[in-house]
Amino acid sequence: MLTLKSVHSYYGSLHVLKGVSLHVRAGEIVALLGANGAGKTTTLKTISGLLKPRKGQVEFQGEDISRLSAEAIVQRGIAHVPEGRRVFSSLSVAANLELGAFARRDHQAVKSDLQEIQERFPILRERAKQPAGTLSGGEQQILAMARALMARPKLLLLDEPSMGLAPRLVKQIFAIIRHLQETGTTILLIEQNARAALKVADRGYVMETGRISLDGTAAELMDHNEVKRAYLGKGYQEVWEE
Amino acid sequence: MLLQQILNGLTAGSVYALIALGYTMIYGILGLINFAQGELYMAGAFATVLLLTAYKVNFFVAFFFGMGVAAVLGVILERIAFRPLRGGHPLVPLISAIGASIFLQSLALLLFGPADRSFPIQFEFAALEIAGVSVSTLQLAIFGAALFFMALLVAFVKYTKFGKAIMATALDQDTARLMGINVDRMIAITFFIGSALSGAAGIMMAIYYNTTYPRMGLLPGLKAFSAAVLGGVGNIPGAIVGGLLLGVAENLGAGYLSSGYKDAVAFAILIIVLLVRPKGLLGGRSH
């Protein structure tokens, strides 16, 4: 469904992605792991078009999307939930959800999707008129994910959805991720919490300094010492063990 | 006397508010103070006056024509004076805005000459006496029209899809793009609307003072900027409140001190606000 072929991306003159190749098949959850600064977020930004690769190709459903604008890529069916949730804080919860469907033209279906999402996440209905900035961190994460779902994505890019959340909320977020997979959404997931990510994922990639250093099924990676080292560096143990 | 000054102040203030809305919307989305806003005010007035002079068209047609000319000019301005500079140092587009302002003023001077033009249609306005205060129906019409445009803008921003998308773009451009929002288009729409409002303000003042000339936008533009700062730049209700307050304050200053102090009051307010409450009364947005 999604294929990256030796992608190189830069921030100005800073060479961040140095030939990243990976693929995601339809229906999969793929985890993208790695230490801070390895280039995971940059990879997602390159896929969603916020950043243009200088070399290499991003293919989605057989089409080269590496030169398309972010707006055009959303319309192809890729929704990106950015790091730190980035809800539109002074707009209402309902307005945030509506904006998620900005690119869609099927207005009737948007309405019913909104109903459905509000039923699935009742908090978003209760707080519909409140500014999104007044929600708690976990609620904002749910809103950010729900907002992305309003685009009816075929592929969902999630950047650290559990960051800064209490364990109970982390569980809830991962339950949502699993549910999304069951309903047919393909997911590419970045997670600080590697163990939790590999529990829901089918496969995973480990990134190190702008390159993919390792890939395999979730079970393989779970047992791989290299993962622990690459992901967490020294003193990984306590985080790994939770 | 007091009521009279407040009333005159509200009329002028509603016009400042219209221009201030342009400043504040453009600042909200680009972090840029468009100092050419006053020239768009002038352009709206000239377009209307010239059309009415050349052809016998309906007044409202000429009014919307003037707004349209200002709006299109604003969009062109964004395209050539601001868009190529985006992403650079914030002072650069500011300098470009001042340059655009001087350019447009000089262009008007070149094309239309320095002379004042009176408004081609003479309206018959009645003077009403209410509780010892004299109000002309012209003042009421200006105040009413300004309120109408403000209400229209607030409704647009709050209730329409594109209005919300403009707010989203102002809050977070990258995330707006992830929603499929075309940021360039939202910025162009913002310039279109902000410039149309300034154009409308210019036409109203061209009627009120019965004069149109190339430098007419300078002072109202600067005062509206003060009004936007007073209310909090980037804040839409702030621009409205700031405009009305500024209009009333300068008229009270003119009435109770001396009419010579009228302009000084507006800029004294600007300086005081910047010193005491730089975020404005209703709180602005940092960029």
Side-chain angles (χ1 to χ4, degrees):
Chain A
M1 180 178 226
L2 176 80
T3 312
L4 272 66
K5 292 179 185 161
S6 58
V7 167
H8 290 257
S9 288
Y10 292 72
Y11 281 121
S13 61
L14 188 66
H15 195 172
V16 182
L17 297 189
K18 300 164 184 165
V20 171
S21 297
L22 58 81
H23 66 274
V24 180
R25 296 188 205 100
E28 275 188 321
I29 296 184
V30 174
L32 190 55
L33 309 174
N36 283 334
K40 295 166 293 175
T41 295
T42 310
T43 305
L44 290 203
K45 282 188 175 173
T46 306
I47 297 168
S48 64
L50 287 181
L51 213 60
K52 295 271 164 283
R54 212 173 283 181
K55 267 198 282 181
Q57 269 197 335
V58 181
E59 269 180 26
F60 182 64
Q61 298 189 311
E63 183 191 6
D64 181 8
I65 59 166
S66 40
R67 300 280 162 262
L68 293 182
S69 67
E71 302 92 84
I73 291 173
V74 183
Q75 287 178 329
R76 299 293 191 283
I78 299 181
H80 178 176
V81 181
E83 190 178 7
R85 338 198 201 288
R86 306 278 281 268
V87 296
F88 300 114
S89 55
S90 60
L91 298 183
S92 70
V93 169
N96 268 273
L97 289 173
E98 283 165 39
L99 285 168
F102 184 83
R104 287 172 61 179
R105 296 285 170 267
D106 47 343
H107 302 291
Q108 283 310 311
V110 168
K111 268 188 193 148
S112 66
D113 283 4
L114 183 63
Q115 289 282 333
E116 205 182 296
I117 275 180
Q118 288 183 329
E119 262 155 48
R120 199 153 102 208
F121 307 112
I123 189 78
L124 300 181
R125 169 167 292 162
E126 286 161 33
R127 306 277 162 93
K129 294 206 164 120
Q130 239 170 275
T134 62
L135 300 183
S136 73
E139 291 163 355
Q140 288 190 17
Q141 184 61 51
I142 290 172
L143 173 59
M145 288 170 69
R147 181 179 64 180
L149 292 178
M150 287 297 295
R152 273 204 187 168
K154 297 176 185 121
L155 172 65
L156 189 62
L157 310 175
L158 297 175
D159 196 341
E160 304 230 8
S162 77
M163 189 168 64
L165 299 185
R168 186 179 52 83
L169 289 165
V170 173
K171 272 203 181 120
Q172 196 185 344
I173 297 291
F174 276 101
I176 295 170
I177 292 172
R178 206 172 281 127
H179 178 81
L180 287 176
Q181 183 191 31
E182 283 159 13
T183 52
T185 311
T186 309
I187 294 169
L188 179 57
L189 169 72
I190 294 182
E191 250 307 324
Q192 208 45 250
N193 190 338
R195 217 180 150 77
L198 288 173
K199 268 190 204 160
V200 293
D202 300 299
R203 290 188 304 116
Y205 291 90
V206 178
M207 286 191 80
E208 249 180 306
T209 59
R211 293 186 179 85
I212 301 285
S213 61
L214 201 67
D215 70 278
T217 65
E220 283 165 11
L221 291 179
M222 191 84 95
D223 291 333
H224 208 293
N225 273 326
E226 192 63 20
V227 176
K228 303 175 189 175
R229 194 195 59 75
Y231 196 78
L232 300 158
K234 280 180 200 156
Y236 60 78
Q237 217 124 18
E238 52 188 305
V239 186
W240 186 254
E241 307 297 342
E242 285 181 7
Chain B
M1 169 75 171
L2 179 69
L3 265 179
Q4 183 72 59
Q5 296 301 346
I6 290 176
L7 215 100
N8 294 343
L10 286 176
T11 309
S14 64
V15 173
Y16 296 151
L18 279 185
I19 314 170
L21 281 170
Y23 276 110
T24 232
M25 286 183 69
I26 289 168
Y27 180 83
I29 205 160
L30 274 187
L32 159 79
I33 299 294
N34 175 20
F35 276 113
Q37 207 72 29
E39 276 57 52
L40 298 167
Y41 164 104
M42 175 267 293
F46 261 105
T48 301
V49 167
L50 292 175
L51 181 69
L52 284 173
T53 312
Y55 302 99
K56 294 257 164 287
V57 296
N58 177 284
F59 166 71
F60 290 101
V61 171
F63 194 97
F64 287 113
F65 174 75
M67 281 179 80
V69 167
V72 170
L73 198 60
V75 172
I76 295 172
L77 193 68
E78 188 272 323
R79 200 59 217 255
I80 61 178
F82 301 130
R83 194 179 297 184
L85 302 173
R86 233 187 273 163
H89 192 281
L91 274 181
V92 175
L94 193 70
I95 295 167
S96 182
I98 295 170
S101 161
I102 297 171
F103 172 79
L104 289 173
Q105 248 182 57
S106 311
L107 186 69
L109 206 58
L110 211 66
L111 292 177
F112 312 128
D116 289 7
R117 287 159 196 256
S118 53
F119 203 77
I121 301 179
Q122 291 306 315
F123 296 98
E124 293 295 318
F125 287 106
L128 309 172
E129 278 272 327
I130 307 166
V133 179
S134 77
V135 193
S136 79
T137 43
L138 174 61
Q139 280 182 311
L140 291 179
I142 288 175
F143 191 60
L147 286 187
F148 168 74
F149 284 123
M150 288 179 222
L152 213 59
L153 175 78
V154 170
F156 169 76
V157 167
K158 245 187 131 97
Y159 300 114
T160 69
K161 183 174 165 177
F162 278 93
K164 290 173 197 168
I166 284 176
M167 291 303 287
T169 306
L171 288 166
D172 185 342
Q173 285 199 7
D174 269 355
T175 307
R177 291 174 63 200
L178 292 178
M179 305 294 113
I181 295 168
N182 182 331
V183 165
D184 284 343
R185 190 173 302 157
M186 294 309 132
I187 292 172
I189 294 175
T190 303
F191 268 84
F192 187 90
I193 295 171
S195 309
L197 293 180
S198 293
I203 302 164
M204 291 188 220
M205 284 294 103
I207 301 169
Y208 192 54
Y209 293 121
N210 195 21
T211 173
T212 300
Y213 55 100
R215 294 173 65 83
M216 68 186 280
L218 185 67
L219 213 50
L222 288 174
K223 285 184 185 171
F225 169 64
S226 308
V229 172
L230 175 61
V233 205
N235 183 321
I236 289 178
I240 297 171
V241 171
L244 294 175
L245 275 179
L246 192 88
V248 170
E250 70 167 19
N251 272 279
L252 290 179
Y256 287 96
L257 298 171
S258 144
S259 60
Y261 286 119
K262 191 172 171 184
D263 298 337
V265 169
F267 300 119
I269 288 176
L270 174 64
I271 293 168
I272 293 168
V273 171
L274 287 176
L275 284 175
V276 178
R277 200 177 158 82
K279 289 205 146 208
L281 294 176
L282 302 193
R285 296 229 345 273
S286 51
H287 243 276

